[in-house]
Amino acid sequence: MTSPTAFPLGAIRHDWTLPEVQALFALPLMDLLFHAQRVHREHHEPNTVQMSTLLSIKTGACPEDCAYCPQSVRYDTGLTHEALMEVAAVRESALRAREAGATRFCMGAAYRSPKARELKVIAQMIREVHALGLETCATLGMLSPEQAKELKEAGLDYYNHNLDTSPQFYGEIITTRTYQDRLDTLRAVRAADLKVCCGGILGMGESPADRAELLLTLANLPEHPESVPINQLVQVQGTPLAGTAPLAPFEFVRAIAVARLLMPRSHVRLSAGRQAMSEEMQALCFMAGANSVFYGEKLLTTGNPDVERDRQLFERLGLRAETSSGRESGHGDGHGNAPGQESGGCGCSRLHAHAETAS
Ligand code: SAM
Ligand code: DTB
Ligand code: SF4
């Protein structure tokens, strides 16, 4: 196997090979965490976390057959279907997310792809959320190049469209759209000059090679996604993946670290599945280079740690909220420090400051 020291770590590359990625996964965990944290600090402000809040603007009754998803019309998950929300209600929800400290608001819809009249309403939602000073993100399924441009013109900053898994395993999970369909949407999103949020789901019964291939595919895209959400499968009764053997926590942590090493400048998001993770596991994920989370008590249809619980966790870990410009804000600090004041390159003084209050 290729030695991890035989290639440089921290460089922005788009020519990763599978043996290289597998060699990273095979490192002793402490070495992997060490390299990931070192590379993280070369490219990011340490101890900061970007916070996105999700809202399901159209829920359930989706024609697609994604085996993990409670919103597919094909599975009986007991979910109540909801039509596209009113613009004013979305604005209200975004306002609450801003007040709670989120900097990005992500609107998700259970569509295969949006229709023209739906896109017009969503464009208006984006204008309203943008006007609140929040970063905007949408995830609406497949987009044509023209639809991507329409969203860009409305003020959309990010489009989320996941590859979900490796090209090889993909057919076991979704049959109603191809991997190439996903890559085409990502190309349309880039062509419209939108930022890309693209990642996948772990714990769907994939092999270690599939996890390596997913990260390899993401890293070898023409440009790295600005945001890389790494979801742990949220198992929902009624979906075909309910009952899948859970992934070992350290394997999830490894994947976060490898994502950090392959895409050094990207925000790696510790995404769905946090409710099922211990705080210690989440801390290891931050150590491995995760610097973004979904923030707020709900993802799209399932639960997420509530805001107060996250505030307390961040406080105990000495993590601060990042502002939309990429610098940390005073929010969640609780120590009265001016932004940037306490954070040296090594984060050392911050850790000492917290040693007294750590529980
Ligand atoms: N319908 C659109 C689509 O599929 O592109 C947008 C919404 S869809 C719910 C967005 C992403 O959420 C999926 O691509 C998948 O990665 C993630 N997701 C959905 N259900 C999940 C689950 N049960 N656990 C973890 N991630 C999930
Ligand atoms: C992403 O990667 N994860 C989010 C977001 N992008 C849209 C969705 C997670 C959904 C988890 C299941 C649910 O709440 O419905
Ligand atoms: Fe529909 Fe998206 Fe769920 Fe797939 S992941 S079933 S496309 S809502």
Side-chain angles (χ1 to χ4, degrees):
M1 188 170 282
T2 316
S3 155
T5 52
F7 49 85
L9 293 174
I12 306 297
R13 293 175 48 192
H14 301 271
D15 60 351
W16 290 95
T17 65
L18 186 59
E20 284 176 336
V21 178
Q22 289 178 317
L24 293 176
F25 269 102
L27 282 172
L29 184 61
M30 301 311 142
D31 289 354
L32 178 57
L33 290 176
F34 170 76
H35 287 300
Q37 182 62 206
R38 183 176 58 73
V39 167
H40 181 74
R41 283 163 187 256
E42 283 170 17
H43 295 274
H44 300 272
E45 181 75 23
N47 304 310
T48 63
V49 182
Q50 185 277 327
M51 307 212 289
S52 293
T53 292
L54 277 167
L55 176 68
S56 181
I57 58 170
K58 185 268 171 185
T59 306
C62 181
E64 302 291 275
D65 70 351
C66 313
Y68 49 76
C69 187
Q71 302 203 66
S72 169
V73 76
R74 298 163 193 246
Y75 317 131
D76 182 8
T77 60
L79 186 71
T80 308
H81 302 166
E82 288 165 36
L84 188 59
M85 285 175 70
E86 301 284 339
V87 174
V90 173
R91 184 182 182 280
E92 272 306 302
S93 183
L95 206 51
R96 283 197 297 276
R98 192 184 70 177
E99 278 161 11
T103 56
R104 191 178 306 165
F105 191 69
C106 181
M107 293 157 272
Y111 293 135
R112 171 179 165 81
S113 57
K115 298 193 175 59
R117 66 188 142 76
E118 294 160 345
L119 208 68
K120 292 252 168 313
V121 179
I122 293 167
Q124 188 54 30
M125 293 173 183
I126 291 165
R127 280 187 207 99
E128 301 263 353
V129 175
H130 179 78
L132 295 176
L134 283 159
E135 290 182 319
T136 55
C137 177
T139 181
L140 316 169
M142 292 188 287
L143 290 185
S144 68
E146 294 70 32
Q147 288 180 313
K149 277 192 213 118
E150 195 176 330
L151 293 173
K152 171 76 184 178
E153 279 157 20
L156 189 69
D157 296 308
Y158 290 82
Y159 194 76
N160 166 245
H161 198 65
N162 289 340
L163 290 178
D164 279 350
T165 190
S166 69
Q168 294 76 13
F169 191 60
Y170 183 84
E172 306 282 317
I173 302 297
I174 300 145
T175 69
T176 49
R177 75 172 81 155
T178 66
Y179 213 74
Q180 188 57 48
D181 287 333
R182 289 181 186 262
L183 294 169
D184 290 347
T185 292
L186 292 174
R187 199 174 46 231
V189 166
R190 275 288 179 216
D193 201 24
L194 288 163
K195 291 182 195 151
V196 169
C197 172
C198 182
I201 309 177
L202 310 183
M204 297 196 293
E206 73 285 346
S207 67
D210 290 316
R211 288 191 283 281
E213 291 264 11
L214 165 65
L215 298 182
L216 177 76
T217 310
L218 290 167
N220 286 347
L221 287 170
E223 286 179 70
H224 292 166
E226 280 79 3
S227 287
V228 180
I230 306 292
N231 297 277
Q232 176 170 277
L233 174 69
V234 179
Q235 297 202 9
V236 179
Q237 279 310 318
T239 61
L241 292 187
T244 305
L247 184 64
F250 290 145
E251 292 312 303
F252 188 91
V253 174
R254 277 183 189 280
I256 295 272
V258 174
R260 165 54 61 230
L261 290 169
L262 298 184
M263 295 167 279
R265 282 199 199 118
S266 305
H267 276 73
V268 174
R269 184 174 307 132
L270 174 55
S271 302
R274 283 201 298 129
Q275 251 190 342
M277 295 176 194
S278 69
E279 294 190 338
E280 292 80 1
M281 177 176 169
Q282 293 183 59
L284 272 182
C285 290
F286 295 126
M287 183 72 197
N291 60 345
S292 171
V293 292
F294 286 123
Y295 179 65
E297 66 282 353
K298 209 164 172 203
L299 294 165
L300 290 173
T301 66
T302 65
N304 196 43
D306 65 41
V307 161
E308 192 46 41
R309 197 184 164 118
D310 269 348
R311 279 194 187 138
Q312 286 174 15
L313 176 63
F314 295 164
E315 175 72 20
R316 278 180 285 139
L317 298 180
L319 295 173
R320 298 178 300 281
E322 183 189 285
T323 64
S324 43
S325 62
R327 300 187 50 177
E328 78 273 27
S329 73
H331 175 81
D333 179 290
H335 291 260
N337 292 310
Q341 190 181 318
E342 71 291 350
S343 173
C346 66
C348 196
S349 63
R350 183 70 188 169
L351 291 176
H352 290 315
H354 273 263
E356 293 145 23
T357 54
S359 56

